[in-house]
Amino acid sequence: MNQHVKPMLNRRSFVIGTAAAGAGLALGLDLPFGGPSVVRAADGSPEVNAWVVVRPDDTVVIRIARSEMGQGSLTGLAQLVAEELECDWSKVVTEFPTPGQSVARNRAWGDFSTGGSRGIRTSQDYVRKGGATARMMLIQAAANEWKVPAGECTVANGVISHTASGKTTTYGKVAEAAAKLTPPTEVKLKDPKDWKVAGKPIKRLDSPDKVTGTTVYGIDVKLPGMLNAAIKDCPVTGGKLKSYDEAKIAGMKGVKKVVRVGDSAVAVVADTWWHAKTALEALPIVWDEGENAKVTSASIAKWLAEGLESGPAFVGNENGDVKAALGSAARKVEAVYNYPYQNHAAMEPLNATALYTADKCEVWTGTQNGEAAFAAVLEASGLPASKCDVHKQMLGGGFGRRGQTDYVSQAVAIAKQMPGTPIKLLWSREEDMLRGRYHPITQCKMTAGLDADGNLTALHMRISGQSILFSLRPEALVNGKDPATFAGLAPNGDAAIGYSVPNLLIEHAMRNPHIIPGFWRGVNVNQNAVYLECFMDEIAQAAGKDPLEFRRKLMASHPKHLAVLNAVAEKIGWDKPAPQGVFRGLAQHMGYGSYVAAAAEISVIDGSKIKVRRIVAATDPGYAVNPAQIERQIAGSFVYGLTGLFYGGCTVKDGKIEQTNFDTYNSMRIAEMPKVESIIMPSGGFWGGVGEPTICVAGPAVLNAYFAATGKRIRSVPLRDLNITFA
């Protein structure tokens, strides 16, 4: 669906480091509105502005800079543009601009990054203005033709009318003239209460092609003369490629070339991917695994446990005097929790297709950050921005992993060694699992102090473990501290704690093993919600109080947190006895600007088999662009969250990840999925995320219900390692 757009502005330099970091850059949106010279899409249709192309048949093409990986942002963003544009929704189609085009036009489409539940919430303002601006220009073009004031014209469903004269026209008929106009400087956006397209449960635009099998993912890309590559990187991170014996596979069917990739990987290029993979498996390889080969899960756990007791730590949230309050507490409660490495395990393994010549380098790939992928192409190819581009494809799952660009760099590095030949690099499932960017491993020691009446007077949380930013975006550290580690525990912001405790200390003893961490759907709110919400239940039990009432007393100053918690409690019937053999648990948290809560109902068989019967979830994302899609995201996040809780743990032996395929890294099945009831309660005034926040409350809600059922606390994940599974 990508269409090449004729550049209007001169290209400018592109800073690799900034884009590769995936940072949200200051937009400074300088839309190339065209002036008297019309910018045209590939089919010759006029571009009204960077976001809107109108074809003569009134088809409206809406440009989407963010990536689509099943989360629905493509449809939601199109709804926001169409709402302000006042076009006929039935005639809307979408396309991805390329980051090369964006750079050539002064970053006309802004941030391409699609992660952190930012796809809609951080671009909603300027995409809506793009739609509103185009509408005003189209109306002005009609008014100019009729020689009437634009203020006398109205528009509905792409038809412009002048009531006094009875004249009407369509967007397709005036688009050419509109594209030549100077854009207005003042643009007023609609009040969300007046939305007619946005805010509605409209069917997704990408579903029909996916259902009929016509959607092209990165893995589906085919180019004339294309060859295929399979790759092996050193299975121990930090290790090197020592040697390989190419002669041993020289005569194997289809093999074209064996290439070294960087200092730690080797790839085989062949006519088909299976031939490449088969030859690679037969290739004798010698690795220099280095000192990291001595690392095990046990050695990592021991190191992190030491960090719970001593050593420096970064403070993420503090008030009062925790030490003194704990010292004078009538009763103390203490617990240690831990959370493992987890793999993204997207259904589509990582892949990229690269075509390199001395004058051009292009890549076709599924990426969560087109600009970061573009920067990787620049760096790997050695060519300037004017000679590179990335053509984004639909993603067969991302979950944060495709926000990284290692696979893009590899594809270009291989293609450089075979100029003029398109090379599709496809990772095997084993490579995908061994060379991940895993959910970070942490442990957490928590100590609470209660007074004689069972009131919480002090809470100390000390997290020991990895920092994602330390490994992937060190420039985002704040005096060495990783603020993202405190997601859901921060004093304020879009991931603030939902409790007021008189004496509070939350700190992070940063310890970074060699396994590279990454942004895994939900990221740090996942473990932090388990830590805080399970421990809140422990404190409530010690105080002899109902878990809901205990929380409510601490949440008077956090009305939005409390509102979602109350909503799930009411919906699940917390104040009424559960059915025989059914037990309940709840949790609340904040992440990505949204307030979320869950209440779960489970049954337990023989102490080791859990039937998750029902989860009620509530979310307040500020505004709901597509309620139906929010419901799907909540249910989908619970699939991911419950999979992580029951199955999702990666262990380390001899310095490498042990789980290399789905036989050892399982995923929940349809029969294990509970009934999910969603409560969408947008309160307005802010924009929160949807795809990631709710994932974090499923786990602690189920764990708290398990305690209610058995009287036993579970403080480690996954349940697989405790011989607990789905019933």
Side-chain angles (χ1 to χ4, degrees):
M1 294 177 67
N2 292 347
Q3 294 188 11
H4 295 278
V5 180
K6 178 182 176 182
M8 180 182 169
L9 304 179
N10 291 329
R11 293 181 184 267
R12 65 175 185 175
S13 60
F14 189 72
V15 182
I16 290 176
T18 306
L25 307 182
L27 182 61
L29 196 61
D30 183 14
L31 296 178
F33 289 106
S37 176
V38 178
V39 179
R40 299 188 183 279
D43 65 359
S45 300
E47 177 185 296
V48 183
N49 63 29
W51 304 98
V52 176
V53 171
V54 181
R55 295 173 181 162
D57 65 356
D58 294 323
T59 298
V60 174
V61 182
I62 295 177
R63 266 59 174 279
I64 307 295
R66 308 289 179 149
S67 300
E68 177 58 54
M69 49 192 156
Q71 85 280 24
S73 294
L74 180 143
T75 301
L77 289 167
Q79 284 179 260
L80 290 173
V81 175
E83 179 65 57
E84 297 292 343
L85 183 59
E86 294 281 7
C87 63
D88 183 345
W89 178 256
S90 69
K91 296 180 179 179
V92 168
V93 297
T94 63
E95 68 179 16
F96 296 128
T98 71
Q101 294 163 359
S102 189
V103 169
R105 298 172 59 167
N106 244 7
R107 292 191 77 230
W109 289 280
D111 189 359
F112 278 58
S113 177
T114 313
S117 287
R118 295 192 306 269
I120 287 177
R121 68 182 174 120
T122 62
S123 58
Q124 55 82 21
D125 183 71
Y126 59 80
V127 301
R128 290 160 68 202
K129 286 177 179 175
T133 300
R135 181 194 73 241
M136 295 171 70
M137 295 169 71
L138 289 158
I139 292 173
Q140 186 65 58
N144 291 349
E145 181 180 326
W146 297 332
K147 296 181 171 54
V148 299
E152 294 181 2
C153 300
T154 59
V155 63
N157 292 321
V159 177
I160 306 168
S161 302
H162 182 246
T163 305
S165 66
K167 293 179 178 179
T168 64
T169 190
T170 66
Y171 278 172
K173 293 176 181 176
V174 298
E176 186 80 21
K180 298 176 182 178
L181 297 178
T182 301
T185 55
E186 296 294 328
V187 180
K188 183 179 180 181
L189 299 177
K190 290 184 182 181
D191 189 312
K193 68 179 175 56
D194 299 323
W195 282 350
K196 294 175 292 187
V197 176
K200 308 303 178 186
I202 289 174
K203 293 180 180 178
R204 288 175 54 154
L205 295 172
D206 55 327
S207 293
D209 284 351
K210 289 179 176 177
V211 170
T212 58
T214 56
T215 296
V216 176
Y217 295 89
I219 200 171
D220 301 319
V221 169
K222 292 182 175 64
L223 298 175
M226 185 179 77
L227 296 178
N228 297 269
I231 194 166
K232 274 189 180 182
D233 208 324
C234 183
V236 177
T237 299
K240 306 296 182 185
L241 173 63
K242 194 170 183 179
S243 65
Y244 56 89
D245 189 353
E246 182 177 349
K248 291 286 198 260
I249 64 167
M252 292 187 69
K253 187 175 181 180
V255 172
K256 304 295 183 181
K257 196 175 182 70
V258 181
V259 299
R260 178 183 287 265
V261 184
D263 60 2
S264 64
V266 59
V268 174
V269 180
D271 56 350
T272 69
W273 185 77
W274 190 254
H275 286 157
K277 178 184 183 295
T278 303
L280 183 62
E281 292 296 330
L283 180 68
I285 304 172
V286 179
W287 306 108
D288 177 6
E289 296 181 339
E291 288 296 306
N292 289 338
K294 300 175 182 177
V295 177
T296 65
S297 286
S299 67
I300 293 173
K302 181 175 182 293
W303 188 36
L304 267 56
E306 292 168 356
L308 295 176
E309 303 298 335
S310 62
F314 296 101
V315 175
N317 195 352
E318 182 178 23
N319 60 261
D321 187 337
V322 163
K323 185 176 181 180
L326 287 174
S328 62
R331 182 174 181 183
K332 288 197 291 186
V333 184
E334 187 173 289
V336 174
Y337 283 70
N338 65 73
Y339 208 89
Y341 287 119
Q342 293 177 326
N343 205 315
H344 297 84
M347 283 296 99
E348 180 192 16
L350 294 175
N351 63 84
T353 300
L355 174 58
Y356 172 88
T357 69
D359 295 317
K360 185 78 173 176
C361 186
E362 294 180 274
V363 168
W364 292 258
T365 190
T367 172
Q368 288 181 239
N369 191 336
E371 288 184 306
F374 181 69
V377 173
L378 266 63
E379 189 170 36
S381 69
L383 296 174
S386 60
K387 294 184 177 182
C388 296
D389 216 338
V390 173
H391 306 284
K392 293 198 307 172
Q393 310 300 310
M394 288 285 189
L395 283 66
F399 312 116
R401 181 61 179 94
R402 281 186 162 89
Q404 300 305 303
T405 59
D406 46 340
Y407 60 103
V408 175
S409 299
Q410 287 180 340
V412 174
I414 297 168
K416 278 187 75 173
Q417 299 182 60
M418 301 186 74
T421 300
I423 305 293
K424 179 194 283 186
L425 170 66
L426 172 63
W427 286 21
S428 66
R429 175 60 60 188
E430 289 75 16
E431 189 72 9
D432 194 272
M433 301 288 270
L434 281 169
R435 299 296 302 181
R437 299 292 183 265
Y438 307 90
H439 183 287
I441 190 169
T442 57
Q443 296 180 15
C444 184
K445 180 179 181 180
M446 292 168 285
T447 308
L450 298 169
D451 64 17
D453 296 322
N455 297 308
L456 180 62
T457 59
L459 175 62
H460 180 200
M461 296 180 67
R462 184 177 172 100
I463 300 166
S464 177
Q466 281 187 291
S467 155
I468 301 173
L469 296 185
F470 177 87
S471 295
L472 301 186
R473 288 187 58 203
E475 74 281 358
L477 296 173
V478 180
N479 296 320
K481 179 173 70 176
D482 180 350
T485 298
F486 302 97
L489 307 174
N492 47 51
D494 68 1
I497 194 169
Y499 304 110
S500 294
V501 184
N503 301 281
L504 177 70
L505 175 60
I506 304 176
E507 55 186 348
H508 175 213
M510 188 186 296
R511 300 198 168 203
N512 294 302
H514 73 287
I515 301 292
I516 301 175
F519 300 100
W520 189 98
R521 186 178 183 180
V523 200
N524 293 302
V525 295
N526 291 332
Q527 71 268 18
N528 290 345
V530 168
Y531 297 158
L532 181 60
E533 289 303 293
C534 289
F535 193 56
M536 274 295 167
D537 259 41
E538 293 203 42
I539 304 170
Q541 181 206 2
K545 298 182 179 181
D546 174 78
L548 176 60
E549 292 305 320
F550 183 77
R551 284 174 169 84
R552 282 173 170 165
K553 193 169 183 179
L554 300 169
M555 298 175 73
S557 299
H558 307 272
K560 292 188 185 297
H561 289 82
L562 182 57
V564 291
L565 181 63
N566 282 338
V568 298
E570 180 181 354
K571 181 82 170 179
I572 207 150
W574 189 268
D575 60 342
K576 301 178 183 65
Q580 183 69 30
V582 176
F583 301 88
R584 294 173 177 148
L586 46 72
Q588 68 80 28
H589 214 61
M590 183 187 185
Y592 306 96
S594 291
Y595 303 85
V596 297
E601 288 186 340
I602 73 168
S603 297
V604 179
I605 302 168
D606 299 330
S608 62
K609 293 182 176 62
I610 299 175
K611 174 66 176 178
V612 185
R613 297 182 174 276
R614 177 188 180 204
I615 301 183
V616 176
T619 181
D620 178 0
Y623 297 99
V625 174
N626 188 319
Q629 189 53 32
I630 294 175
E631 288 187 2
R632 297 181 195 113
Q633 280 290 279
I634 291 171
S637 76
F638 286 173
V639 175
Y640 215 62
L642 293 175
T643 290
L645 174 66
F646 280 83
Y647 298 128
C650 294
T651 53
V652 180
K653 182 180 180 182
D654 298 327
K656 58 179 77 83
I657 294 294
E658 290 189 277
Q659 292 72 24
T660 61
N661 212 315
F662 289 115
D663 59 332
T664 50
Y665 195 83
N666 204 355
S667 179
M668 72 182 297
R669 304 300 196 267
I670 291 175
E672 296 165 341
M673 185 66 187
K675 177 183 179 183
V676 176
E677 300 171 40
S678 301
I679 306 169
I680 304 167
M681 41 193 299
S683 59
F686 65 95
W687 288 80
V690 169
E692 297 187 82
T694 53
I695 187 175
C696 70
V697 287
V702 169
L703 291 176
N704 288 335
Y706 181 85
F707 174 79
T710 66
K712 298 177 182 178
R713 290 285 175 195
I714 295 175
R715 300 189 179 101
S716 65
V717 175
L719 303 187
R720 171 199 73 196
D721 294 346
L722 304 174
N723 295 316
I724 297 174
T725 187
F726 285 105

